[in-house]
Amino acid sequence: MIGSGERHRRNTRTALILLSIALVFFFGIIFAKFVGDASTGMTVIGFAILLFLVVTIGRSVRRKK
């Protein structure tokens, strides 16, 4: 069983990751409206999702070594 300090650290990290995803989507939509091109906004959001996946998978692989 994990201690309360470890659980708090994990919950905080998860909250920060979810917050950053929400912010990228929010600003991606605003950027798309500002530019006026839907494909630009979708490209920004797509790159953000790809970046989050690479970071998450990289952290997971690094922990297993």
Side-chain angles (χ1 to χ4, degrees):
M1 190 163 209
I2 60 176
S4 63
E6 177 70 17
R7 178 174 292 152
H8 179 70
R9 188 178 67 80
R10 288 182 182 183
N11 287 343
T12 303
R13 184 178 60 218
T14 302
L16 289 175
I17 290 170
L18 292 174
L19 176 66
S20 64
I21 291 170
L23 288 175
V24 167
F25 276 105
F26 179 73
F27 287 115
I29 291 170
I30 290 176
F31 181 72
K33 293 291 185 180
F34 178 72
V35 172
D37 187 18
S39 64
T40 303
M42 292 306 293
T43 302
V44 169
I45 292 173
F47 278 128
I49 292 170
L50 183 64
L51 178 66
F52 283 119
L53 286 174
V54 167
V55 169
T56 304
I57 291 170
R59 289 180 67 173
S60 176
V61 168
R62 187 174 37 171
R63 267 191 231 143
K64 290 184 180 183
K65 286 185 178 183

